Amino acid sequence: MSINKLNINIKDKYIEQAFEILNFFKSIIIEVHHIGSSKLAKIPYDCDMDILFIVKSYDDVRNLADILIAEGYVQVNHFSDYFRDDMVMRKVVDGHNINMIFMSSASRKKNDILICTEHLLMNEQSCSDFKNLKKLLVKNEVTEAEYDERKYRLFQMIIDEGDHLTSV
C-alpha cells in the first residue's frame, strides 16, 4: 500500500470514528482532535490512531465508560503515564487500534498536546526526530519506557520553545 493511500485511509478512519463517538455524546463533547503519529503525513508504517475528545467535565468522562464498553470498546488502564488522569478507550477497526482519549476541558494538557501536534506538522526537523524515534520503537530498538521518556523530552522541548517564543 502506498503512503498516500495509507494517509487517505487514516483520514477516513478518523472522520468515521470521531463521528461515531459524536453521535453518542454530542451534548458533552466540545472538541475533537486527531493527534499522534497517524496525524503526520508520510509515516512509512502503520501506527495506532489517537483521537482526543474534549468533554465538558470529568464527571462526563466517568459516565462514558459503561456506555462505550457496552458498544464494544475496551477501557485501556495503562495507556501512558501522561494520560493517567484521562479515560482512554480502544476499538480495533480493520485491524488497527483506535485510541480515544477523553479529557476534561479543564485539563491543562490539552493546549500542550495541540501545540506539539501542530509543531510536528510544521517543523520538518522535529517531525523527522519523532518519526525516527517511532521507527526505533517499531523495530524494537528501544523499550516502550525508553520511547515514552524520549518522546516526553522531545515534546517538553517543543513546549518550552513555544513558551520562549511567545513570552515578551
Side-chain angles (χ1 to χ4, degrees):
M1 176 180 291
S2 74
I3 291 173
N4 287 338
K5 178 87 169 146
L6 183 63
N7 286 329
I8 290 168
N9 289 341
I10 288 170
K11 288 177 187 174
D12 290 345
K13 258 185 216 170
Y14 162 71
I15 291 167
E16 179 182 319
Q17 294 308 302
F19 274 111
E20 183 174 309
I21 296 299
L22 284 170
N23 282 333
F24 279 121
F25 306 110
K26 59 185 161 206
S27 64
I28 61 172
I29 293 175
I30 55 178
E31 293 178 43
V32 181
H33 302 278
H34 184 185
I35 61 170
S37 311
S38 65
K39 171 78 175 175
L40 304 176
K42 298 182 181 170
I43 278 210
Y45 42 82
D46 281 340
C47 49
D48 291 359
M49 177 182 294
D50 300 326
I51 304 174
L52 178 64
F53 293 92
I54 306 299
V55 297
K56 292 179 182 176
S57 75
Y58 280 116
D59 291 336
D60 292 331
V61 170
R62 285 189 290 273
N63 294 333
L64 294 176
D66 291 336
I67 297 167
L68 291 170
I69 289 168
E71 292 295 323
Y73 294 82
V74 175
Q75 189 162 2
V76 181
N77 294 318
H78 301 290
F79 184 67
S80 82
D81 284 344
Y82 188 77
F83 292 109
R84 69 181 164 269
D85 297 329
D86 306 304
M87 184 178 75
V88 179
M89 302 298 283
R90 177 174 290 153
K91 183 177 184 182
V92 177
V93 178
D94 300 330
H96 293 95
N97 288 333
I98 310 293
N99 301 309
M100 292 155 211
I101 303 157
F102 294 88
M103 182 180 289
S104 169
S105 61
S107 175
R108 295 180 220 184
K109 294 184 290 188
K110 178 190 98 166
N111 286 337
D112 289 347
I113 293 166
L114 298 179
I115 287 167
C116 288
T117 300
E118 187 67 23
H119 182 88
L120 290 173
L121 289 169
M122 304 303 259
N123 185 294
E124 287 184 37
Q125 183 60 54
S126 294
C127 186
S128 177
D129 292 345
F130 183 65
K131 286 178 183 181
N132 289 335
L133 179 58
K134 191 71 163 178
K135 186 194 265 182
L136 291 173
L137 178 67
V138 170
K139 290 182 168 186
N140 293 317
E141 294 178 13
V142 295
T143 66
E144 190 104 13
E146 290 171 319
Y147 169 78
D148 286 342
E149 176 60 29
R150 289 183 187 184
K151 182 171 79 169
Y152 175 79
R153 284 194 313 241
L154 173 64
F155 288 175
Q156 195 59 53
M157 185 179 70
I158 292 169
I159 291 164
D160 290 347
E161 182 180 298
D163 288 345
H164 175 72
L165 293 175
T166 57
S167 63
V168 178

